[in-house]
mmCIF file of all heavy atoms in Angstrom:
data_model
loop_
_atom_site.group_PDB
_atom_site.id
_atom_site.type_symbol
_atom_site.label_atom_id
_atom_site.label_comp_id
_atom_site.label_asym_id
_atom_site.label_seq_id
_atom_site.Cartn_x
_atom_site.Cartn_y
_atom_site.Cartn_z
ATOM 1 N N ILE C 21 -17.489 21.210 -44.357
ATOM 2 C CA ILE C 21 -17.085 20.242 -43.339
ATOM 3 C C ILE C 21 -18.100 19.118 -43.269
ATOM 4 O O ILE C 21 -19.293 19.333 -43.401
ATOM 5 C CB ILE C 21 -16.919 20.950 -41.988
ATOM 6 C CG1 ILE C 21 -15.752 21.920 -42.100
ATOM 7 C CG2 ILE C 21 -16.683 19.973 -40.873
ATOM 8 C CD1 ILE C 21 -15.461 22.680 -40.841
ATOM 9 N N VAL C 108 -44.007 8.271 -32.766
ATOM 10 C CA VAL C 108 -44.499 7.061 -33.412
ATOM 11 C C VAL C 108 -44.155 5.847 -32.550
ATOM 12 O O VAL C 108 -43.085 5.771 -31.944
ATOM 13 C CB VAL C 108 -43.905 6.927 -34.829
ATOM 14 C CG1 VAL C 108 -42.399 6.802 -34.790
ATOM 15 C CG2 VAL C 108 -44.532 5.769 -35.578
ATOM 16 N N GLY C 124 -32.429 8.200 -43.478
ATOM 17 C CA GLY C 124 -31.538 7.164 -42.991
ATOM 18 C C GLY C 124 -30.636 7.586 -41.865
ATOM 19 O O GLY C 124 -29.762 6.828 -41.467
ATOM 20 N N ASP C 223 -47.677 26.005 -39.407
ATOM 21 C CA ASP C 223 -48.948 25.297 -39.248
ATOM 22 C C ASP C 223 -49.505 25.522 -37.851
ATOM 23 O O ASP C 223 -48.766 25.816 -36.903
ATOM 24 C CB ASP C 223 -48.819 23.800 -39.566
ATOM 25 C CG ASP C 223 -47.945 23.042 -38.597
ATOM 26 O OD1 ASP C 223 -48.283 23.008 -37.401
ATOM 27 O OD2 ASP C 223 -46.934 22.466 -39.028
ATOM 28 N N ARG C 326 -51.253 24.308 -30.859
ATOM 29 C CA ARG C 326 -49.854 24.253 -31.304
ATOM 30 C C ARG C 326 -49.655 25.141 -32.512
ATOM 31 O O ARG C 326 -50.290 24.962 -33.548
ATOM 32 C CB ARG C 326 -49.433 22.817 -31.647
ATOM 33 C CG ARG C 326 -47.930 22.696 -31.900
ATOM 34 C CD ARG C 326 -47.525 21.295 -32.304
ATOM 35 N NE ARG C 326 -47.893 20.991 -33.679
ATOM 36 C CZ ARG C 326 -47.803 19.788 -34.234
ATOM 37 N NH1 ARG C 326 -47.402 18.762 -33.506
ATOM 38 N NH2 ARG C 326 -48.145 19.588 -35.499
ATOM 39 N N LEU C 345 -20.679 16.577 -51.847
ATOM 40 C CA LEU C 345 -20.937 17.201 -50.560
ATOM 41 C C LEU C 345 -22.449 17.335 -50.389
ATOM 42 O O LEU C 345 -23.144 17.769 -51.309
ATOM 43 C CB LEU C 345 -20.281 18.583 -50.503
ATOM 44 C CG LEU C 345 -20.653 19.462 -49.305
ATOM 45 C CD1 LEU C 345 -20.072 18.883 -48.020
ATOM 46 C CD2 LEU C 345 -20.175 20.890 -49.514
ATOM 47 N N TRP C 459 -51.812 29.665 1.101
ATOM 48 C CA TRP C 459 -53.244 29.379 1.021
ATOM 49 C C TRP C 459 -53.809 29.095 2.419
ATOM 50 O O TRP C 459 -54.861 29.635 2.806
ATOM 51 C CB TRP C 459 -53.485 28.195 0.090
ATOM 52 C CG TRP C 459 -54.807 27.515 0.235
ATOM 53 C CD1 TRP C 459 -55.047 26.329 0.864
ATOM 54 C CD2 TRP C 459 -56.080 27.972 -0.230
ATOM 55 N NE1 TRP C 459 -56.373 26.002 0.806
ATOM 56 C CE2 TRP C 459 -57.051 27.002 0.132
ATOM 57 C CE3 TRP C 459 -56.510 29.094 -0.930
ATOM 58 C CZ2 TRP C 459 -58.391 27.119 -0.162
ATOM 59 C CZ3 TRP C 459 -57.861 29.221 -1.233
ATOM 60 C CH2 TRP C 459 -58.787 28.256 -0.861
ATOM 61 N N LEU C 642 -39.669 -19.471 -58.307
ATOM 62 C CA LEU C 642 -40.080 -19.038 -59.635
ATOM 63 C C LEU C 642 -40.103 -17.519 -59.648
ATOM 64 O O LEU C 642 -40.372 -16.869 -58.627
ATOM 65 C CB LEU C 642 -41.474 -19.582 -59.984
ATOM 66 C CG LEU C 642 -41.645 -21.099 -59.990
ATOM 67 C CD1 LEU C 642 -43.122 -21.436 -60.163
ATOM 68 C CD2 LEU C 642 -40.806 -21.732 -61.095
ATOM 69 N N PRO C 658 -30.703 1.629 -21.876
ATOM 70 C CA PRO C 658 -31.583 2.569 -21.161
ATOM 71 C C PRO C 658 -31.267 4.001 -21.541
ATOM 72 O O PRO C 658 -30.104 4.373 -21.723
ATOM 73 C CB PRO C 658 -31.282 2.279 -19.686
ATOM 74 C CG PRO C 658 -29.952 1.602 -19.674
ATOM 75 C CD PRO C 658 -29.870 0.836 -20.949
ATOM 76 N N ILE C 690 -58.644 -10.879 -0.678
ATOM 77 C CA ILE C 690 -59.445 -10.844 0.547
ATOM 78 C C ILE C 690 -58.583 -11.174 1.760
ATOM 79 O O ILE C 690 -58.585 -10.462 2.775
ATOM 80 C CB ILE C 690 -60.637 -11.808 0.442
ATOM 81 C CG1 ILE C 690 -61.610 -11.326 -0.660
ATOM 82 C CG2 ILE C 690 -61.356 -11.924 1.780
ATOM 83 C CD1 ILE C 690 -62.783 -12.261 -0.898
ATOM 84 N N ASP C 753 -35.910 -8.821 -20.315
ATOM 85 C CA ASP C 753 -35.285 -7.797 -19.469
ATOM 86 C C ASP C 753 -35.754 -6.403 -19.870
ATOM 87 O O ASP C 753 -34.987 -5.435 -19.831
ATOM 88 C CB ASP C 753 -33.758 -7.867 -19.544
ATOM 89 C CG ASP C 753 -33.206 -9.105 -18.870
ATOM 90 O OD1 ASP C 753 -33.853 -9.600 -17.931
ATOM 91 O OD2 ASP C 753 -32.134 -9.581 -19.281
ATOM 92 N N TYR C 797 -37.816 2.382 -12.264
ATOM 93 C CA TYR C 797 -37.475 1.572 -13.428
ATOM 94 C C TYR C 797 -36.757 0.292 -13.014
ATOM 95 O O TYR C 797 -35.896 0.305 -12.132
ATOM 96 C CB TYR C 797 -36.570 2.359 -14.376
ATOM 97 C CG TYR C 797 -37.239 3.514 -15.061
ATOM 98 C CD1 TYR C 797 -37.096 4.812 -14.582
ATOM 99 C CD2 TYR C 797 -38.019 3.315 -16.198
ATOM 100 C CE1 TYR C 797 -37.707 5.884 -15.215
ATOM 101 C CE2 TYR C 797 -38.634 4.381 -16.841
ATOM 102 C CZ TYR C 797 -38.473 5.656 -16.345
ATOM 103 O OH TYR C 797 -39.080 6.715 -16.970
ATOM 104 N N GLU C 894 -58.032 -11.933 -20.125
ATOM 105 C CA GLU C 894 -56.912 -12.802 -19.783
ATOM 106 C C GLU C 894 -57.137 -14.181 -20.387
ATOM 107 O O GLU C 894 -58.274 -14.644 -20.483
ATOM 108 C CB GLU C 894 -56.732 -12.921 -18.269
ATOM 109 C CG GLU C 894 -56.364 -11.617 -17.573
ATOM 110 C CD GLU C 894 -54.999 -11.088 -17.961
ATOM 111 O OE1 GLU C 894 -54.241 -11.812 -18.639
ATOM 112 O OE2 GLU C 894 -54.680 -9.942 -17.591
ATOM 113 N N ARG C 940 -63.080 13.906 -44.532
ATOM 114 C CA ARG C 940 -62.690 12.822 -43.636
ATOM 115 C C ARG C 940 -63.928 12.331 -42.907
ATOM 116 O O ARG C 940 -64.776 13.120 -42.482
ATOM 117 C CB ARG C 940 -61.664 13.334 -42.611
ATOM 118 C CG ARG C 940 -60.337 13.758 -43.202
ATOM 119 C CD ARG C 940 -59.324 12.668 -43.142
ATOM 120 N NE ARG C 940 -59.019 12.253 -41.788
ATOM 121 C CZ ARG C 940 -58.235 11.219 -41.503
ATOM 122 N NH1 ARG C 940 -57.704 10.485 -42.464
ATOM 123 N NH2 ARG C 940 -57.988 10.892 -40.245
ATOM 124 N N LYS C 973 -51.962 24.207 -54.054
ATOM 125 C CA LYS C 973 -50.554 24.347 -54.421
ATOM 126 C C LYS C 973 -50.429 25.221 -55.654
ATOM 127 O O LYS C 973 -51.280 25.168 -56.555
ATOM 128 C CB LYS C 973 -49.913 22.979 -54.704
ATOM 129 C CG LYS C 973 -49.620 22.152 -53.479
ATOM 130 C CD LYS C 973 -48.821 20.913 -53.823
ATOM 131 C CE LYS C 973 -48.522 20.103 -52.567
ATOM 132 N NZ LYS C 973 -47.719 18.893 -52.880
#
Side-chain angles (χ1 to χ4, degrees):
I21 294 181
V108 62
D223 66 61
R326 189 183 75 189
L345 170 69
W459 161 257
L642 301 172
I690 294 177
D753 290 332
Y797 291 98
E894 296 294 351
R940 295 265 299 174
K973 285 188 179 181

